Amino acid sequence: MSFFCASDLAAGYGGRRVIEGVSFCLEASRVVGVLGANGSGKTTLIKAVCGILPHGGSCVLEGRRLEGLPPKELAGLCGYIPQRSGISIGISVLDVVLMGQNPRLRLLERPSGGMKERARRALSQVGLKGREEENYLELSEGQKQLCILARALSSGGKLLLLDEPESALDFLHRYRTLELLKEWAGKERRAVMAALHDPSLSLNCCDRLLLLSKGRILAELSPETDPLEEMEEKLSALYGPVSLQRCRDRSGQEQLVMLRETAKELWNGALEWGKK
């Protein structure tokens, strides 16, 4: 049995469907990226899976259907990181991270010493060590995103859902964030699903990719094992003609590089594949 499965998901806004007929499964200890053009439904899909957005279909995590679970229980199983945190009051960085412990606290119960220590370790992991008592609102947008990531990493959930977590981060922190997510998923039986904006980052850091187009899954990729030509064809249906190359960095580690192509015949081929 798969760790997590979504079946026939459909969701939207104001009576307009944005995603429909979306089904997929996630395995434990894996990071799965969702790629798609603007408006393809990436954010809607993430919100539907974590229960923020009403939806049709079902989501099952380790044999438990998520629809109908009490909000606090659902929050204890599924962590969610939006593009913007929505926090508008001046509270400390440490207190923001400790918000991730709320599903495990009784009414008026304060976080334990162990919870605070885990929060501090998570802040150190994301590069915010020593900033625990600073005002969250005074951080840069990228630092705010790292703080919310620390909250998710220390929360103890099973499935972590992220909406373009790399959008406000620089080159170094984009890759570091995905590395931390892979470490988090690999330590226990849990998984990460992230809507991502950067295809090169996704190809090198995700175990699997879901390609979303017009609210439906167009294709799935396994970057480590799929033939380059097959991945090029599928990615070209999203981004126009592209080519992929496997390169090695100075340490000898292999990485994928995606290049934009301008040849007319490649563009026509991508259009024909996208119509399938």
Side-chain angles (χ1 to χ4, degrees), residues 27 58 72 88 90 99 109 129 196 211 221-222 226 237 269:
E27 300 304 322
S58 65
K72 192 169 184 178
S88 58
M99 287 178 179
E109 183 181 7
K129 183 178 181 180
L196 296 168
L211 306 188
L221 305 181
S222 296
D226 285 353

Side-chain angles (χ1 to χ4, degrees), residues 5-229:
C5 278
S7 301
D8 202 26
L9 290 186
Y13 310 90
R16 180 179 66 89
R17 288 283 176 89
V18 176
I19 61 169
E20 189 166 11
V22 174
S23 299
F24 60 91
C25 290
L26 309 180
E27 300 304 322
S29 304
R30 296 289 184 267
V31 174
V32 177
V34 183
L35 288 177
N38 293 338
S40 61
K42 299 188 300 296
T43 295
T44 301
L45 175 58
I46 293 293
K47 287 183 175 180
V49 170
C50 69
I52 291 177
L53 193 63
H55 58 273
S58 65
C59 296
V60 178
L61 177 63
E62 290 194 311
R64 301 178 65 187
R65 181 165 175 154
L66 300 184
E67 290 79 13
L69 287 180
K72 192 169 184 178
E73 187 175 353
L74 180 60
L77 292 172
C78 299
Y80 169 61
I81 299 183
Q83 292 184 36
R84 295 290 181 269
S85 70
I87 297 172
S88 58
I89 58 173
I91 60 176
S92 74
V93 168
L94 181 62
D95 284 337
V96 170
V97 178
L98 287 171
M99 287 178 179
Q101 301 300 325
N102 287 345
R104 291 161 182 80
L105 296 173
R106 296 187 296 273
L107 183 64
L108 301 181
E109 183 181 7
R110 299 179 65 83
S112 67
M115 290 176 177
K116 291 180 180 179
E117 181 56 33
R118 285 196 296 274
R120 290 190 177 93
R121 285 201 302 268
L123 284 168
S124 179
Q125 281 182 296
V126 302
L128 294 178
K129 183 178 181 180
R131 311 193 71 163
E132 293 85 354
E133 302 308 320
E134 292 187 22
N135 188 335
Y136 172 82
L137 296 181
E138 295 177 0
L139 299 179
S140 71
E141 289 303 314
Q143 290 167 338
K144 288 177 182 177
Q145 197 75 354
L146 292 171
C147 181
I148 299 301
L149 174 62
R151 183 177 72 184
L153 294 175
S154 64
S155 66
K158 288 281 190 176
L159 177 63
L160 185 53
L161 302 146
L162 305 96
D163 187 8
E164 297 193 0
E166 87 283 28
S167 59
L169 301 178
D170 59 32
F171 180 84
L172 173 64
H173 284 98
R174 286 184 177 194
Y175 279 85
R176 179 56 181 154
T177 292
L178 268 293
E179 290 170 0
L180 286 171
L181 292 173
K182 287 179 75 73
E183 291 173 11
W184 181 87
K187 286 181 179 177
E188 296 181 23
R189 186 172 168 78
R190 46 197 183 188
V192 172
M193 180 177 176
L196 296 168
H197 183 70
D198 184 341
S200 294
L201 176 72
S202 308
L203 286 163
N204 287 294
C205 297
C206 295
D207 301 296
R208 282 177 56 221
L209 295 175
L210 306 179
L211 306 188
L212 200 64
S213 177
K214 298 178 180 178
R216 294 181 179 273
I217 293 180
L218 180 67
E220 297 187 24
L221 305 181
S222 296
E224 287 191 359
T225 58
D226 285 353
L228 291 184
E229 295 80 6

